[in-house]
Amino acid sequence: KTGLPLWLLGLGVDRLRADMSRLLALLFHQGVLDEQFLQLQQLQDESCPNFVSKVVNIYFHESEKLLRNLRGLLSDGEFSDYKKMGIHLNQFMGSSSSIGAKRVRNVCVAFRAASEQNNRAGCLRALELLEHEYCYLKNKLHEFFQIEQQRVLAAGVRYRIQN
Amino acid sequence: MTVTHKSGTVVRGDTFGFGQMFPEGLRVLVVDDDNTCLKLLEALLRKCKYHVTLTNQAVEALRMLRDPNHVFDLILSDVHMPDMDGFKLLEIVGLEMDLPVIMMSGNSDTKMVMKGITHGACDYLVKPIRREELQNIWQHVIRRKSEKQSRKVNTEMAGQGTQESSQARGDDDRNVACNRKRKEQNNEEEDDGDDNMQETEDTATQKRPRVVWSPELHRKFVTAVNQLGIDRAVPKKILDLMDVEEITRENVASHLQKYRLYLKRISLQQTNSQAILAGAPGMIQDNSHIRLGPMDGFGDFGFAGSRSLLNTDPSLLSFAPSGMLGRLNSTANLCFSGLTPGMVQRNHAQNKSSIHLPSVLPAGQDVGILQGVPTALEPQRLPQNTGIAKPGEFNLLGEQRFFTDNLPNSRVSIGSLSNTTESQQQRQENQSSCNMASLNPDPFLIGVNNSNTSDAGRINENWDRTGVLSNFPLNSSSLDLPFNHSQLPPKIPNFPFDLSSGSGLSAPVENSRGNMQLQSGLIGNMLQNTSYVPKQEEHNQDYAENSHAIFSDRSSLVSGSSSIDPFGQSFKQMDPMHGQGMDISLIGQLNGGGVSLGQQSEEDKPVVSTQVPSKGDYFLNQMMADGGFVASDAGSLEDLITDFQRFRGAVRNWRWYCFGILGGVRNC
């Protein structure tokens, strides 16, 4: 019970869709996402209705693990295992590029370069940046999915009303 | 972990046992420790109508492969896995099951690609993997099956089956190597004129069936050659040493000729890589470090030979000058005696006039390009080699090797090369796309160039802009201005960076200098200079109001809770936490503002009198406006780091904000 009459809810569909498009356009413009994300969307259809959000949620789950690991490695004063960091980074890069998270991936590239040079300070900076970029991406994608949910809901309402 | 197994019901029909609907129903096993990619690949492969089985553990994959109940046609395996190295899995599969394996990785490093190919992978895909790439993977299955068939036919004819150019090498575990050999064969045939095939045909006018050079046979051959010494290896003696019945002296002779050509090609590569690294003619004298030793140890060349060839590449890349010149001389003469005419012939024949240094990239994988290299480079290099005649060619290959090594983009071309049949065209394209990167030997830049060429394009843009930006007078005086404004606005709800309370302004001001410098370095990479200057005065004001406007806008659209409001909530909570010191990651805070800024640049909202840390705004602007943050050059990495250090502490509540976000994120 949202307090709105059902028929009004249904009318929000177009506006919500417009919101989603605008948000996506913004993210593309900012370089946060790239066309790989579109590929993800194309894979979503009736047989996999929530594909994008499923994949993205898996990505979030894995990424946070990776970020924690990276943070843990770098917090250690005795840290010297750049190789391990490289492994984590490789995975992060692979999954980020598969999602279309361009900026996150770019930071990973810089991070990896710093780790290959055994540059601890650089790694720290890069990690901070990475966390930031990841946070931003996550928030934006959460927002995106929320609008999507509402749109689906509203579309369902509209359909029911029309019939 | 999750192992979804789909049992396939494939209608047995024609084409190697596949149904009419082939390649639909292809049974693919995917092994990847990254669950994101696993899920994505599942969807992609399903879209291609393949039967997909997933696992994120290599041991589980092996178990399934060894299980007779499970039949697979093709395996996609990631390279970096925690429980087992992808290459190891690759080898095991090749030995035990002889199925085509395609490697995948987020890393497009040439060395890794090389390793994959030498270990017998059919192909090497770089993530993100596109649908088009997956739609073609079935060809590897067909190719392997057809090779198996013809090999079977060959053995059935008592080792004297028909020798087709592609199956001649009889090693069906080395698909790519076979393809390469085929291309090489074709090239040699076209260009040399002294075609081995022809020779055999000429001598075998009696229509003697062709001999299949299996790895064991070749190994014996090489042992014999090494025993005799490459100089004195004559077919008759080799034949005696080998003590194999089914081959004739003519077979050995033709094989020996191919082997010699192959060795020569290897040394060419060495010279090229070394010369390129040298970058100057003078360095050619340092050929000495090129160890030609590995060439003696080539167990198999050609077919499986590409494997050993490539295996030795790491050694080729040891650019430590040493006094091995004499050794080089001897081995050079050893290998090259009598081969010049052939090579020169080939070079001329292969006259690719368009070749220039950077374009010889995807060389390691394609013999055709290797051969083409000497054409362009030889004339320049040779004259400078007074002492050693042949090493001129060494230089060429050295360059080549250098580029292949340093240009990860080449792997992209390799993958696509093996996937499709367009050879020249694609090489040219890839070469040109690599040109940009090849001009810059900087490792960091090249690392960055790992990303798609669009990023590389941006790198160039950013280089230009860096010049602009560094000229920008970012002195603290201009920064102080906004801070000293008495019109520091009252707190704006939802606005994260609100320093309006006035506390600690001095600190940010102090750091602003550093901040601007940070930005000049940092932002040099992400800059949109046009918007930069005007924003300096206005940004403060635009920022908060826009963010506010956006937030309220959104909340009106989305009834109930949206992610922005809780966002805003956390912002408010951050406010009391002034004075905590800043952390650059706090640009997290910029998230909220970022939205507005981005939109601002698009929509030109009116200026608002709101205070915002100017640096934060700049930073935001740059980051939001231009996206890709890290496309930078090595020089700026150092700047980046120093700037980061200065940037710290500039905006205090950023850190808290980010922690808040992270805490929220971690709790999700």
Side-chain angles (χ1 to χ4, degrees):
Chain A
K1 309 297 178 192
T2 61
L4 279 178
L6 282 181
W7 63 274
L8 260 189
L9 259 188
L11 291 180
V13 173
D14 297 320
R15 192 183 241 182
L16 288 172
R17 195 180 295 131
D19 281 352
M20 281 174 63
S21 305
R22 201 181 331 142
L23 176 57
L24 266 190
L26 172 69
L27 291 175
F28 278 107
H29 177 74
Q30 293 174 344
V32 173
L33 291 176
D34 63 18
E35 58 271 2
Q36 180 67 20
F37 191 76
L38 290 178
Q39 288 233 354
L40 249 72
Q41 286 189 304
Q42 280 168 13
L43 288 170
Q44 180 162 308
D45 54 21
E46 299 77 31
S47 60
C48 333
N50 293 322
F51 174 69
V52 182
S53 99
K54 275 192 209 149
V55 179
V56 171
N57 281 325
I58 296 177
Y59 169 71
F60 286 155
H61 186 73
E62 301 269 301
S63 302
E64 278 148 40
K65 246 194 301 182
L66 287 170
L67 280 173
R68 273 198 293 273
N69 289 342
L70 286 168
R71 179 54 81 177
L73 280 175
L74 279 173
S75 307
D76 178 14
E78 312 282 327
F79 169 71
S80 60
D81 197 350
Y82 288 99
K83 190 150 175 267
K84 195 158 178 199
M85 212 157 59
I87 295 176
H88 287 317
L89 279 175
N90 256 331
Q91 189 178 336
F92 207 168
M93 265 175 67
S95 54
S96 302
S97 58
S98 301
I99 292 286
K102 184 156 81 162
R103 284 225 292 235
V104 170
R105 184 182 172 271
N106 287 343
V107 178
C108 284
V109 172
F111 197 153
R112 189 174 61 173
S115 85
E116 279 164 4
Q117 295 161 9
N118 287 9
N119 179 351
R120 174 127 188 250
C123 288
L124 272 168
R125 304 289 166 258
L127 176 62
E128 287 165 0
L129 201 58
L130 187 61
E131 284 167 345
H132 154 66
E133 285 292 344
Y134 172 78
C135 290
Y136 183 70
L137 174 75
K138 178 161 181 169
N139 284 315
K140 288 294 148 210
L141 285 178
H142 268 322
E143 181 186 337
F144 178 80
F145 291 130
Q146 278 189 343
I147 306 178
E148 163 80 5
Q149 264 177 9
Q150 299 195 340
R151 186 189 63 83
V152 168
L153 191 66
V157 167
R158 179 199 260 178
Y159 176 75
R160 281 196 290 278
I161 289 177
Q162 282 170 353
N163 297 302
Chain B
M1 205 292 255
T2 50
V3 172
T4 33
H5 177 58
K6 308 280 181 266
S7 56
T9 48
V10 177
V11 175
R12 296 272 163 200
D14 329 320
T15 16
F16 307 105
F18 290 111
Q20 299 292 343
M21 297 297 290
F22 186 82
E24 289 180 18
L26 196 68
R27 291 153 302 190
V28 184
L29 173 67
V30 186
V31 191
D32 192 340
D33 62 325
D34 182 5
N35 294 332
T36 320
C37 296
L38 216 53
K39 182 100 182 137
L40 181 62
L41 280 167
E42 179 191 28
L44 283 169
L45 291 167
R46 290 254 170 80
K47 263 291 200 287
C48 299
K49 306 235 180 70
Y50 298 154
H51 285 285
V52 185
T53 311
L54 309 172
T55 176
N56 69 346
Q57 289 183 354
V59 282
E60 174 68 20
L62 273 178
R63 190 195 64 76
M64 281 198 285
L65 285 165
R66 288 171 177 149
D67 182 355
N69 295 330
H70 295 157
V71 187
F72 297 105
D73 299 311
L74 180 64
I75 298 162
L76 259 73
S77 170
D78 189 47
V79 167
H80 301 284
M81 292 191 287
D83 55 344
M84 184 191 295
D85 187 26
F87 296 119
K88 187 147 167 244
L89 177 67
L90 170 59
E91 280 185 10
I92 296 177
V93 171
L95 284 169
E96 293 188 20
M97 296 122 214
D98 195 25
L99 287 175
V101 181
I102 296 178
M103 307 300 293
M104 304 180 290
S105 176
N107 193 347
S108 62
D109 188 21
T110 311
K111 287 204 196 94
M112 300 303 275
V113 180
M114 210 85 88
K115 199 171 171 194
I117 304 299
T118 56
H119 281 72
C122 293
D123 202 353
Y124 192 107
L125 304 178
V126 176
K127 296 176 182 172
I129 300 185
R130 292 184 305 277
R131 190 163 152 195
E132 303 80 56
E133 291 175 314
L134 288 178
Q135 273 170 338
N136 283 336
I137 57 178
W138 57 267
Q139 60 178 287
H140 300 291
V141 179
I142 295 295
R143 192 179 301 131
R144 189 162 279 224
K145 294 221 178 213
S146 72
E147 278 171 357
K148 253 198 214 162
Q149 264 196 2
S150 63
R151 194 202 210 186
K152 212 167 92 174
V153 168
N154 283 340
T155 52
E156 276 167 7
M157 293 175 66
Q160 294 177 347
T162 50
Q163 185 186 38
E164 302 165 21
S165 62
S166 60
Q167 265 97 49
R169 302 310 157 230
D171 189 348
D172 52 353
D173 280 341
R174 312 282 175 250
N175 282 340
V176 178
C178 289
N179 295 342
R180 201 172 310 129
K181 189 72 179 131
R182 194 184 323 158
K183 283 189 200 156
E184 168 205 354
Q185 283 282 329
N186 292 338
N187 289 334
E188 286 179 20
E189 285 164 350
E190 290 160 11
D191 303 326
D192 290 355
D194 51 321
D195 188 15
N196 296 326
M197 305 278 220
Q198 282 181 7
E199 186 197 19
T200 345
E201 280 171 4
D202 288 341
T203 57
T205 43
Q206 313 87 352
K207 292 235 176 107
R208 191 176 317 161
R210 298 277 171 84
V211 170
V212 176
W213 280 89
S214 67
E216 295 81 29
L217 212 52
H218 179 71
R219 223 170 285 133
K220 281 191 190 163
F221 169 82
V222 175
T223 327
V225 167
N226 290 339
Q227 257 182 285
L228 293 168
I230 191 89
D231 265 357
R232 302 181 302 120
V234 275
K236 184 92 177 46
K237 290 193 191 158
I238 297 176
L239 188 58
D240 291 339
L241 275 177
M242 280 177 69
D243 193 23
V244 174
E245 289 195 347
E246 290 105 14
I247 53 178
T248 68
R249 196 201 65 80
E250 287 82 11
N251 296 131
V252 174
S254 61
H255 197 70
L256 176 66
Q257 183 175 25
K258 283 183 224 159
Y259 185 60
R260 284 205 176 121
L261 288 171
Y262 167 72
L263 292 179
K264 186 181 30 159
R265 202 181 332 122
I266 307 303
S267 51
L268 274 183
Q269 287 178 1
Q270 291 166 333
T271 13
N272 272 348
S273 62
Q274 171 256 343
I276 284 196
L277 194 63
M283 288 285 283
I284 289 172
Q285 299 311 319
D286 277 341
N287 283 349
S288 52
H289 67 261
I290 294 177
R291 289 181 264 136
L292 292 182
M295 295 207 305
D296 299 335
F298 277 133
D300 26 358
F301 95 103
F303 31 99
S306 57
R307 163 197 271 233
S308 49
L309 158 61
L310 299 169
N311 270 336
T312 63
D313 278 342
S315 69
L316 295 181
L317 301 170
S318 60
F319 293 117
S322 64
M324 285 158 55
L325 195 60
R327 186 168 141 199
L328 183 77
N329 250 332
S330 59
T331 42
N333 294 336
L334 217 64
C335 304
F336 289 3
S337 55
L339 286 181
T340 318
M343 185 178 116
V344 169
Q345 213 171 339
R346 200 170 52 205
N347 294 342
H348 291 326
Q350 279 246 280
N351 194 9
K352 299 184 186 175
S353 52
S354 62
I355 286 190
H356 39 282
L357 274 188
S359 67
V360 289
L361 272 204
Q365 311 300 328
D366 191 338
V367 171
I369 289 192
L370 278 183
Q371 293 175 337
V373 168
T375 314
L377 304 176
E378 188 175 16
Q380 307 159 16
R381 300 296 182 190
L382 272 179
Q384 287 133 3
N385 274 335
T386 49
I388 305 165
K390 304 305 190 303
E393 299 134 13
F394 278 58
N395 297 339
L396 306 175
L397 273 174
E399 285 169 344
Q400 197 170 21
R401 188 53 56 202
F402 173 84
F403 276 124
T404 21
D405 232 24
N406 279 281
L407 289 168
N409 280 343
S410 61
R411 135 44 245 159
V412 176
S413 66
I414 291 163
S416 44
L417 271 177
S418 54
N419 255 340
T420 70
T421 49
E422 327 146 25
S423 50
Q424 296 292 340
Q425 185 64 20
Q426 218 153 2
R427 261 180 254 139
Q428 292 294 338
E429 287 166 8
N430 289 318
Q431 290 163 2
S432 52
S433 74
C434 292
N435 276 342
M436 187 158 36
S438 68
L439 297 175
N440 187 346
D442 186 274
F444 180 66
L445 180 58
I446 285 168
V448 174
N449 276 340
N450 268 332
S451 53
N452 27 8
T453 46
S454 61
D455 285 343
R458 173 173 294 155
I459 290 171
N460 274 350
E461 287 168 34
N462 294 328
W463 278 17
D464 297 337
R465 287 174 179 161
T466 308
V468 174
L469 191 50
S470 53
N471 293 335
F472 193 88
L474 302 175
N475 39 9
S476 50
S477 59
S478 54
L479 279 182
D480 290 342
L481 211 54
F483 286 102
N484 294 337
H485 271 175
S486 54
Q487 43 169 258
L488 286 181
K491 270 194 200 176
I492 305 262
N494 296 344
F495 187 65
F497 295 113
D498 193 5
L499 295 181
S500 59
S501 54
S503 60
L505 264 189
S506 50
V509 168
E510 171 110 296
N511 293 321
S512 63
R513 205 167 308 159
N515 190 17
M516 291 319 293
Q517 284 172 355
L518 158 69
Q519 293 186 350
S520 62
L522 192 58
I523 289 156
N525 304 321
M526 317 177 304
L527 170 67
Q528 282 186 0
N529 25 13
T530 51
S531 56
Y532 197 88
V533 176
K535 283 287 196 306
Q536 192 174 10
E537 274 74 44
E538 304 170 357
H539 65 267
N540 294 344
Q541 299 131 359
D542 296 339
Y543 194 57
E545 174 160 87
N546 277 340
S547 65
H548 187 56
I550 298 295
F551 289 149
S552 49
D553 199 27
R554 287 218 178 270
S555 45
S556 67
L557 282 177
V558 179
S559 63
S561 62
S562 72
S563 65
I564 299 225
D565 282 341
F567 221 60
Q569 294 300 325
S570 59
F571 287 4
K572 286 181 199 146
Q573 286 160 13
M574 292 307 156
D575 282 338
M577 298 184 178
H578 280 255
Q580 295 304 331
M582 197 235 12
D583 200 337
I584 191 169
S585 56
L586 293 194
I587 305 165
Q589 178 98 81
L590 297 176
N591 289 352
V595 177
S596 62
L597 265 188
Q599 298 204 337
Q600 172 185 351
S601 54
E602 291 163 10
E603 302 164 25
D604 279 330
K605 295 232 172 115
V607 172
V608 173
S609 63
T610 306
Q611 173 274 358
V612 160
S614 54
K615 39 189 159 207
D617 203 12
Y618 286 124
F619 197 87
L620 246 187
N621 250 345
Q622 310 330 313
M623 290 200 59
M624 302 313 160
D626 203 357
F629 168 78
V630 170
S632 58
D633 51 331
S636 76
L637 180 60
E638 310 310 322
D639 293 339
L640 205 83
I641 292 168
T642 37
D643 288 334
F644 267 69
Q645 285 164 342
R646 290 199 202 113
F647 192 49
R648 257 182 178 217
V651 180
R652 310 214 217 107
N653 28 345
W654 287 17
R655 167 178 285 190
W656 282 95
Y657 171 73
C658 193
F659 282 177
I661 292 292
L662 275 181
V665 158
R666 284 178 187 143
N667 291 336
C668 286

